[in-house]
Amino acid sequence: MTDPETPAATPPHTGALRRAAPALLGYAAVRVLGLVTLAVWSAANGKSAHRLLSQRWDSLWYTRVAELGYGYEVRLPNGDVHANLAFFPLLPWLERLGSAVTPLSYPDAGLLVSAAASIAAAWGIFAVADHVHGHRAGVCAALVWAVLPVGIVQSMAYSESLFTALAAWSLYAVLTGRWLTAGLLAAFAGLTRPVGVAVVAALWVAAITSFVGERAQGGSTPRTDGAQVWRRALAMIIAPLGAAGYVLWVGHRTGKGPLGYLDVQAGWRNGFDGGYAFGRFVAEKLTSFPSALAGVGLIVGVALILWLYVACVRQGQPPALLVHTGIVVALALCASSYFGSKPRLLLPAFPLLFPLAVALARLRTLRSALILGGVAVASAAYGAFWLNGSGPP
């Protein structure tokens, strides 16, 4: 779809912002609803919403990295070693920078980064869906991502929003042929979370597919085409530097070579086992009645994710999106521990939401708004209940 504003009337960046405005305003409204609900719920329980968002669970680990650097670890009674080397550095770096240039503490700088990144992520999701499925689907995609049951994580001092923003804009750059931008963003995504490999793989697949397609068409070689080829090749080199650089640095620091990062993850009892541990966890849930309902819910959830992925394939999503989504889903579902984390680990798999977004876009605006509004209220209540309870492990 083309922007109704002409380049002469509206600068490109202004037109892009105006086009994304419904998605961004709707996203912001959902996040405000979630935060207000959390504040009220937490106050009723004698807890601090601010602390729940910025100073618990993984956010504490990121803050310690920002304040003290790497080297902190906790030895548990069972012999496990939880080392902060497991946490990739981009979010702590930004927290340290935010605290240095503002009066904010490290936790509050983390909240600021998360808030900005969540808006950037919503915009990136809109941009990708708009490019693939049109404007209405783009707006709906950003809003569906906002109203996910674990959407409150997008407002926490966690790395999910930052990673999703980098991944979404890298994928958008791939889809629009901005290869160097895509490579740089993929490198930063690789400095944010281990699943950054999904963005790198998506870029590589798209680039290789482009090379093969051009060769099949006879390989025309105007100077502009040659420059594009070099940009694409350079993007493929740049993209993995973030993840590879950090993993190799951890291996050097631990003295265990290139696979040292895997040993760090093993200290957290985390790894990739093809889904065996998760399958056993679900099976154990089915052995008694109260927990059997949770087990059935997990099975239904996994089935829904797989069905949505098949729907993405049938929609004809570009290979880059399918590769990114497939790897994010595989790493989330096949991790060997932290089963309660799986829903939030799936947040970067935003193309899974495009079939739902397209379906909503086909409805009348009022009906779509009512559906999304109702889900937003339920999501806000669930997020407040969740963070005041077990919360993200």
Side-chain angles (χ1 to χ4, degrees):
M1 298 178 67
T2 58
D3 198 302
E5 299 289 348
T6 64
T10 306
H13 62 277
T14 304
L17 178 59
R18 182 177 299 175
R19 186 173 182 81
L24 300 182
L25 291 173
Y27 178 81
V30 173
R31 291 273 47 82
V32 169
L33 174 64
L35 292 173
V36 170
T37 304
L38 175 65
V40 173
W41 198 301
S42 300
N45 283 278
K47 295 182 179 180
S48 165
H50 176 266
R51 182 176 179 81
L52 290 174
L53 292 169
S54 65
Q55 299 178 58
R56 289 194 68 188
W57 306 293
D58 287 5
S59 58
L60 284 175
W61 286 91
Y62 285 119
T63 297
R64 289 191 184 107
V65 174
E67 183 176 6
L68 304 172
Y70 286 105
Y72 178 83
E73 62 184 30
V74 175
R75 294 184 178 272
L76 304 184
N78 65 357
D80 290 345
V81 178
H82 288 185
N84 65 1
L85 288 167
F87 295 88
F88 276 48
L90 186 57
L91 177 57
W93 286 349
L94 293 175
E95 289 180 343
R96 182 178 297 179
L97 176 63
S99 183
V101 301
T102 70
L104 297 176
S105 64
Y106 292 119
D108 288 341
L111 289 180
L112 178 62
V113 170
S114 182
S118 67
I119 294 294
W123 194 347
I125 291 168
F126 162 80
V128 173
D130 181 20
H131 180 80
V132 177
H133 297 296
H135 183 264
R136 284 178 62 87
V139 173
C140 290
L143 294 179
V144 172
W145 191 68
V147 303
L148 289 173
V150 293
I152 190 65
V153 173
Q154 299 161 17
S155 298
M156 298 179 68
Y158 270 45
S159 60
E160 272 76 12
S161 289
L162 179 60
F163 177 79
T164 303
L166 293 166
W169 283 109
S170 179
L171 291 169
Y172 178 74
V174 166
L175 296 177
T176 55
R178 298 172 172 89
W179 292 101
L180 290 181
T181 299
L184 287 170
L185 292 173
F188 283 120
L191 282 171
T192 307
R193 296 187 65 84
V195 75
V197 298
V199 188
V200 176
L203 185 150
W204 278 20
V205 166
I208 293 170
T209 301
S210 296
F211 283 131
V212 172
E214 289 170 359
R215 197 171 267 263
Q217 292 174 6
S220 57
T221 56
R223 293 185 69 178
T224 53
D225 288 355
Q228 184 76 340
V229 168
W230 278 108
R231 283 194 290 269
R232 202 179 307 152
L234 186 57
M236 293 179 69
I237 295 171
I238 293 172
L241 294 182
Y246 181 68
V247 168
L248 291 174
W249 178 81
V250 170
H252 173 74
R253 180 177 177 115
T254 59
K256 296 183 179 180
L259 300 181
Y261 183 77
L262 297 181
D263 289 336
V264 172
Q265 286 283 14
W268 289 77
R269 293 186 178 253
N270 201 14
F272 186 88
D273 65 358
Y276 172 76
F278 183 47
R280 188 174 62 184
F281 173 77
V282 174
E284 290 173 353
K285 289 287 185 183
L286 297 173
T287 58
S288 60
F289 174 71
S291 63
L293 296 177
V296 172
L298 289 171
I299 293 172
V300 171
V302 172
L304 175 61
I305 290 167
L306 297 178
W307 177 81
L308 285 173
Y309 189 76
V310 171
C312 292
V313 175
R314 290 178 175 174
Q315 275 187 336
Q317 285 188 13
L321 299 187
L322 295 176
V323 169
H324 169 78
T325 303
I327 293 177
V328 172
V329 169
L331 291 178
L333 296 184
C334 297
S336 59
S337 64
Y338 296 98
F339 306 119
S341 298
K342 295 188 184 300
R344 70 175 177 86
L345 295 179
L346 287 166
L347 281 175
F350 62 88
L352 281 178
L353 307 176
F354 289 1
L356 302 177
V358 170
L360 284 169
R362 290 173 178 161
L363 301 177
R364 292 186 176 182
T365 301
L366 179 59
R367 181 172 295 183
S368 296
L370 289 174
I371 292 173
L372 288 168
V375 177
V377 171
S379 175
Y382 175 77
F385 167 77
W386 186 45
L387 286 196
N388 277 273
S390 60

